[in-house]
């Protein structure tokens, strides 16, 4: 199985989230696709451009909007997850990325699952619109996850079944696991002295898998 670290874009200073995770979708399905229109979206600010945009100092949500619009490596992210299927080679599966699930965690701890994107432009547009506090990368399904409801009723003996076909083997390494040996920081705090511990952890996992 492929091995990668899960992409986790966390804002530790984000406003405190409520404990419950609401279920989305009118049919009772948990985590159904949600069309989210942020109440903070400004009129005439489509695309995040324009000289009149102002970001409140210390407002993490506003800073995340700026980050997703200008700094987030959407193109590199999509290329990394495509495993060569974004190329023009004959063996490339051009529909590979559109069958990959992305899950956004929005303000209020709302899960917005079964997102899929054809390319980096679609991904960046969704990030700028929804401003997630966290991104989780899910499996690759046999069909576009946004069209999953058309396959939900498939029974045995049919090909209309919505199911995952592959995903990465993920090892989640948390900095808080090293609080008993860190002398510089604790809990969610991180400094430059903390990162060598993560480097060592990744090398240990890599060596263990190879041996």
């Amino acid at each position: 199985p492929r091995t990668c670290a899960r992409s986790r874009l966390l804002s530790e200073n984000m406003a405190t989230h409520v404990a419950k995770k609401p279920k989305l979708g009118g049919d009772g399905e948990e985590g159904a696709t949600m069309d989210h229109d942020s109440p903070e979206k400004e009129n005439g600010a489509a695309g995040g451009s324009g000289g009149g945009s102002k970001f409140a100092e210390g407002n993490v949500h506003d800073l995340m909007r700026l980050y997703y619009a200008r700094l987030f490596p959407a193109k590199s992210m999509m290329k990394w997850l495509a495993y060569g299927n974004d190329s023009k080679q004959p063996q490339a599966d051009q529909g590979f990325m559109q069958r990959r699930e992305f899950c956004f965690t929005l303000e209020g701890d709302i899960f917005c699952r079964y997102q899929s994107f054809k390319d980096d432009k679609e991904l960046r547009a969704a990030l700028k619109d929804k401003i997630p506090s966290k991104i989780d990368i899910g499996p690759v399904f046999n069909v576009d996850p946004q069209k999953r409801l058309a396959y939900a009723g498939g029974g045995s003996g049919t090909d209309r079944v919505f199911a995952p076909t592959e995903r990465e083997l993920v090892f989640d390494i948390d900095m808080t696991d090293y609080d008993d040996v860190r002398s510089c920081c604790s809990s969610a705090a991180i400094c430059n002295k903390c990162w060598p511990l993560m480097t060592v952890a990744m090398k240990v996992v890599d060596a263990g898998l190879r041996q």
Side-chain angles (χ1 to χ4, degrees):
R2 298 174 178 138
T3 305
C4 75
R6 181 172 56 193
S7 172
R8 310 184 74 182
L9 304 177
L10 297 173
S11 177
E12 297 294 344
N13 295 322
M14 191 73 73
T16 303
H17 291 160
V18 296
K20 294 185 178 180
K21 298 179 176 61
K23 294 183 179 179
L24 306 180
D27 57 357
E29 179 184 1
E30 184 172 358
T33 304
M34 169 184 174
D35 294 328
H36 175 72
D37 293 323
S38 170
E40 297 180 10
K41 195 183 299 179
E42 297 180 357
N43 293 330
S49 60
S53 298
K54 294 183 179 179
F55 297 92
E57 183 176 357
N59 187 324
V60 177
H61 193 266
D62 280 348
L63 294 176
M64 292 290 282
R65 186 186 302 275
L66 180 64
Y67 169 71
Y68 286 133
R70 302 184 182 181
L71 300 175
F72 181 80
K75 189 172 184 178
S76 297
M77 177 71 71
M78 295 294 278
K79 185 175 182 63
W80 174 55
L81 291 170
Y83 298 109
N85 286 299
D86 57 340
S87 69
K88 296 182 180 179
Q89 299 297 325
Q91 67 272 22
D93 181 356
Q94 299 299 329
F96 182 84
M97 280 309 300
Q98 206 149 5
R99 300 197 306 273
R100 165 81 73 172
E101 179 195 359
F102 287 78
C103 175
F104 292 170
T105 302
L106 311 182
E107 281 196 291
D109 221 13
I110 298 173
F111 281 8
C112 190
R113 289 197 60 188
Y114 302 116
Q115 306 296 294
S116 64
F117 309 102
K118 178 177 64 177
D119 52 33
D120 60 287
K121 295 181 180 64
E122 285 192 358
L123 172 61
R124 189 178 298 279
L127 292 171
K128 288 162 59 178
D129 179 50
K130 295 181 171 66
I131 318 295
S133 59
K134 187 179 72 165
I135 301 171
D136 288 298
I137 300 169
V140 177
F141 288 91
N142 57 334
V143 295
D144 184 342
Q146 293 198 45
K147 300 176 181 178
R148 69 195 180 282
L149 295 181
Y151 294 81
S156 59
T158 72
D159 57 356
R160 297 181 63 82
V161 176
F162 176 65
T165 58
E166 60 179 287
R167 69 162 300 163
E168 291 77 15
L169 175 63
V170 177
F171 293 89
D172 193 0
I173 303 172
D174 294 319
M175 188 69 81
T176 52
D177 293 339
Y178 293 86
D179 281 355
D180 57 340
V181 296
R182 284 197 292 172
S183 58
C184 50
C185 304
S186 62
S187 299
I190 298 175
C191 71
N192 288 335
K193 294 181 180 179
C194 298
W195 288 112
L197 293 171
M198 304 298 282
T199 301
V200 170
M202 288 188 291
K203 288 183 177 180
V204 169
V205 171
D206 182 75
L209 291 173
R210 293 178 186 276
Q211 295 172 7

